[in-house]
Amino acid sequence: MTSRQIRLALRAYGVGGPGQHNLWKDPRVPKNASIDIDWYIAQAKAAEHALFDALFIVDSQFIDATYPPHYLNRLEPLTLLSAVATHTRHIGLVGTLSSTYNSPFNVARRFASLDHISHGRAGWNVVTSFDTGTSRNYGLDEHLDYATRYGRALEHVQVVRGLWDSYEDDAFPAAGDVFLDPSKLHALNHAGEHFRVDGPLNLSRSPQGQPVIFQAGVSEEGRNLAAHVAEGIYAPGGTLEATREYYADIKRRAAALGRDPDHVVIFLGAQPVVAGTDEEALRLSREIFEADNDFGRKLGQFGRAFGAHDFSQYDLDAPFPDVAHLAEKSGRTRGTEIIRRATSEGLTLRETVLAFTRYQPSPFTGAPDTVAATIAAWFEAGAFDGLNVGFRTHEDLSRFVADVVPLLQKQGLFRTGYEHDTLRGHLGLPIPANRWSVAS
Amino acid sequence: MTSRQIRLALRAYGVGGPGQHNLWKDPRVPKNASIDIDWYIAQAKAAEHALFDALFIVDSQFIDATYPPHYLNRLEPLTLLSAVATHTRHIGLVGTLSSTYNSPFNVARRFASLDHISHGRAGWNVVTSFDTGTSRNYGLDEHLDYATRYGRALEHVQVVRGLWDSYEDDAFPAAGDVFLDPSKLHALNHAGEHFRVDGPLNLSRSPQGQPVIFQAGVSEEGRNLAAHVAEGIYAPGGTLEATREYYADIKRRAAALGRDPDHVVIFLGAQPVVAGTDEEALRLSREIFEADNDFGRKLGQFGRAFGAHDFSQYDLDAPFPDVAHLAEKSGRTRGTEIIRRATSEGLTLRETVLAFTRYQPSPFTGAPDTVAATIAAWFEAGAFDGLNVGFRTHEDLSRFVADVVPLLQKQGLFRTGYEHDTLRGHLGLPIPANRWSVAS
Ligand SMILES: Cc1cc2nc3c(=O)[nH]c(=O)nc-3n(C[C@H](O)[C@H](O)[C@H](O)COP(=O)(O)O)c2cc1C
Ligand SMILES: Cc1cc2nc3c(=O)[nH]c(=O)nc-3n(C[C@H](O)[C@H](O)[C@H](O)COP(=O)(O)O)c2cc1C
């Protein structure tokens, strides 16, 4: 048995991550990077060359003109990943798709198709949608409340998994006169609180049995969903203490439900900043922050946690406004924390925005050996199973791969070759038995 | 000005088309062809090498064990086409997607993404879904009736087109401090009978402005939809007389609505059978029919036009059962025709099934010069603008390309090189002006 190793996912850049609002000004980045498929293929290939577990694509479905550049113009995740699939052979392909604004049959088909096209490398990052405005792009006046969103999410995943098992693995003998053995094709006939889906799905299972279920969302409801169905988690970064607590909490919840905690692989979001020396890296990190330190923009983005609420209507120097009724919207966790702190510390709106957007270097900032040592220490301390790393440019990824990854490999903390062809294989996840196949 | 030329689309085989129920037995076809992305990429490359206008992917979202092999296990069209896109450079990529069981925002995003990934080669074949059982995969007891399905389809296309215009073409100066010119981003704020969609879409326009709208469906309502919004049509094959009538009818309807009839490009479905001599081709065609001439299978498939109705419950030798109430389901046109004929000729169920599944060689069956001459004659007679050709194997496609296409080229009826990089370019369709851009 090999000892526990770190997992690495690449959160494709050009999309997502802090400090990217002015990335389009960087001469090394094409101005249309976020819609340039070659830009993504190049990242996927670089990450695969570096033996990463997965490429990770986040998503959003609502914008207005205040949104950061990479949100404004972005490719739909599955369309993107399908194009990437045929240019790679090992790396996992995880796409974010909202369970709130998609139908299970469609989601099941699309991920199962990606799973076939990639020969077993697909993963679905289940989110309930952060941007409340999405509801108005899908015929609803209001974003669904937490209970409904997460209730729907759990049932959604269960239905999708049911559809993925429509065919038993030996359903197609394709011999003699028998193409399909009809006894091995199963309708689902699901009728639940949120969905009625009869099935069967018109797709067989892939080499990994079912795409891997990821989840992102940290509320009580989000953790509960994760404990029930997530096999991978995209968790937000934070202090060592906070991330260890989160990690232990999720593993505990999964175990309490009778699941093997090793089968919930927790990826921490990280934006490493690597340079020749620690000082240089910190200077670089500060520079990136300062270049993008525009209060007006921050105020615009600040509203996202409260359902794209327009905070420019308030006096910046008056006490933080009463927006408690909006904190249940996009993300209760963050909204509640903002309100709690503003209230308990008696902050003005301006002070609150500054407090929550202040300079906070990534814990993985420094010379290569510093960054490698910090990663190793956090890993050993139980803060994560893997990192979901994002970078500003190809060069930053290359530097991380060339200088940091080998130090992790030297300590036996990262693979030195792919041992598997599927995402499940990389993550040490079992192939789910088909629910219809009886052990004989 | 070049004279009018024939368009050619390849209806990807392994999926769809008559005479394919036992194709899996052909040693030249991989048993999993319908889910093998390399199989599709190879077809797309061959068709592009032959200067075809488009690769065409049909779709369905309901199966049971009686369905033909290529329906049972198939890739979702957009996922498929996105993978094909980066392996081709000129050929158009047309995917079938149901307006009945998809949301406009999602459809707009996915096709716009494919349009960017392919640099302007995407087309959406709008269908209202043939298989009535699809409704039960999307939470509905019953397939929507014709009026609702087609009303929804028209509004759906209008919303999707509105979303595709969210950004004016010069919305992103990406110069100085200005990434986006916010005055060039437009919400749609659509509120209609079937949809409420605020927008804007989070994607800019591609080199062809908007993906091309195709349509397939021949009822009064279907023709009406086509006349309003279709820029391409996938029309069923038939006699020369019937196809000419259909062609003239569609062009007339489009003109009556003030549209240029040349901007509705009609592709006729065709399954050419080419061999050394006419006799050989006819023998081959008959062979293909006989090899698949199983009455039980035909009876199973016969029910599809009546909402997957199970006809095995009736006495085969009694008069054709009264299923008039089911003829409005999947496709009224075919259902009504079956009933009319069975009634007027006093046919039994068995006789009716045989009448509608009898041997009918493709009009494009014969030696290369026969097939080329027939294609030319039908084209000149106004039966079609293009053919949507399907073949059983790569070899059959190769033969058509090697032996028939050059004869069309020699007559000036088919291009000898690509003159454009976009699907609109190939089809002679204008780039739709962005609705927000005011002529200055
Ligand atoms: C690390 C992380 C990444 C997320 N990524 C996305 C995303 O890409 N798209 C999205 O709509 N929501 C995303 N979410 C938001 C969740 O789906 C969820 O809607 C939101 O966080 C509110 O739920 P919560 O309070 O449970 O976190 C993410 C959440 C977290 C914590
Ligand atoms: C040539 C042709 C191709 C079609 N292809 C599809 C298809 O791929 N998927 C689908 O669901 N329906 C397809 N349809 C069906 C139409 O969407 C429509 O639902 C059905 O034909 C009933 O409408 P109609 O009476 O207007 O033809 C096709 C129809 C025609 C005529």
Side-chain angles (χ1 to χ4, degrees), chain A residues 7-331:
Chain A
R7 317 292 176 190
L8 288 176
L10 176 65
R11 204 173 63 235
Y13 41 101
V15 185
Q20 301 212 331
H21 302 90
N22 56 7
L23 194 55
W24 62 271
K25 294 185 184 174
D26 191 314
R28 294 167 301 177
V29 179
K31 304 226 181 304
N32 70 341
S34 65
I35 57 161
D36 179 359
I37 194 64
D38 294 331
W39 182 250
Y40 292 96
I41 291 173
Q43 286 177 66
K45 285 187 165 175
E48 179 165 272
H49 189 72
L51 309 172
F52 276 40
D53 295 82
L55 184 77
F56 198 101
I57 306 293
V58 298
D59 192 38
S60 73
Q61 299 197 86
F62 171 80
I63 53 162
D64 62 36
T66 71
Y67 272 60
H70 51 284
Y71 279 82
L72 293 173
N73 198 11
R74 81 193 313 168
L75 298 173
E76 190 278 324
L78 272 262
T79 324
L80 187 167
L81 287 172
S82 188
V84 168
T86 58
H87 296 274
T88 51
R89 294 192 44 197
H90 289 94
I91 195 165
L93 304 166
V94 184
T96 299
L97 218 73
S98 172
S99 56
T100 307
Y101 300 107
N102 281 290
S103 304
F105 195 84
N106 208 299
V107 170
R109 273 193 94 189
R110 293 168 66 199
F111 276 103
S113 294
L114 179 64
D115 212 24
H116 277 296
I117 290 169
S118 65
H119 303 292
R121 295 184 283 133
W124 172 26
N125 180 35
V126 182
V127 298
T128 63
S129 281
F130 186 81
D131 284 298
T132 60
T134 309
S135 69
R136 295 190 302 275
N137 289 331
Y138 285 91
L140 291 177
D141 282 333
E142 293 279 342
H143 198 33
L144 301 180
D145 62 35
Y146 261 67
T148 311
R149 260 152 76 193
Y150 276 109
R152 189 180 149 102
L154 178 59
E155 192 180 325
H156 201 302
V157 173
Q158 286 163 343
V159 172
V160 166
R161 284 195 162 160
L163 290 170
W164 284 337
D165 276 357
S166 294
Y167 284 110
E168 295 182 57
D169 292 336
D170 55 352
F172 294 105
D177 270 326
V178 183
F179 183 70
L180 164 72
D181 174 351
S183 73
K184 310 234 156 153
L185 170 62
H186 303 276
L188 184 63
N189 293 322
H190 173 90
E193 194 184 332
H194 302 276
F195 302 106
R196 178 227 164 130
V197 182
D198 282 10
L201 187 68
N202 50 356
L203 258 175
S204 56
R205 304 207 324 163
S206 83
Q208 70 175 346
Q210 296 183 354
V212 178
I213 299 289
F214 276 71
Q215 181 272 353
V218 295
S219 61
E220 176 62 26
E221 291 87 343
R223 291 171 191 224
N224 193 33
L225 174 67
H228 275 94
V229 297
E231 303 172 279
I233 292 181
Y234 175 17
T239 62
L240 177 57
E241 195 192 348
T243 53
R244 287 182 63 197
E245 256 174 43
Y246 174 82
Y247 183 96
D249 180 54
I250 293 288
K251 300 280 178 167
R252 205 182 304 118
R253 287 175 194 245
L257 291 169
R259 296 183 60 201
D260 181 341
D262 287 345
H263 295 165
V264 188
V265 182
I266 301 180
F267 286 83
L268 213 61
Q271 188 96 356
V273 178
V274 184
T277 64
D278 289 354
E279 295 69 37
E280 232 183 282
L282 280 165
R283 192 163 53 236
L284 180 61
S285 164
R286 163 73 72 177
E287 251 174 53
I288 293 169
F289 175 81
E290 293 298 347
D292 206 26
N293 192 14
D294 178 74
F295 187 81
R297 189 192 56 65
K298 286 179 175 181
L299 190 68
Q301 282 306 296
F302 190 76
R304 277 189 78 205
F306 299 91
H309 189 62
D310 178 12
F311 277 90
S312 71
Q313 67 190 286
Y314 304 110
D315 181 351
L316 285 174
D317 298 308
F320 189 73
D322 180 8
V323 288
H325 60 295
L326 300 174
E328 274 280 319
K329 291 263 180 173
S330 308

Side-chain angles (χ1 to χ4, degrees), chain B residues 56-61 71 74 96-98 125-131 134 143 146 149-150 215-223 234-237 246 267 269 304 329-334:
Chain B
F56 198 100
I57 306 292
V58 298
D59 194 37
S60 74
Q61 298 196 86
Y71 278 82
R74 81 194 312 169
T96 299
L97 219 72
S98 171
N125 181 34
V126 182
V127 298
T128 63
S129 281
F130 185 82
D131 284 298
T134 309
H143 199 32
Y146 261 67
R149 261 153 75 192
Y150 276 109
Q215 182 272 354
V218 294
S219 60
E220 176 63 27
E221 292 87 343
R223 291 171 190 226
Y234 175 18
Y246 174 83
F267 286 83
R304 276 190 77 207
K329 291 262 180 173
S330 308
R332 180 206 303 147
T333 317
R334 185 169 162 81

Side-chain angles (χ1 to χ4, degrees), chain A residues 365-378:
Chain A
T365 299
D369 53 354
T370 305
V371 172
T374 312
I375 290 175
W378 283 46

Side-chain angles (χ1 to χ4, degrees), chain A residues 82 113 117, chain B residues 15 34 37 40 55 57 75-85:
Chain A
S82 188
S113 294
I117 290 169
Chain B
V15 185
S34 64
I37 194 63
Y40 292 96
L55 184 77
I57 306 292
L75 298 173
E76 189 279 325
L78 272 263
T79 325
L80 188 166
L81 288 172
S82 188
V84 168

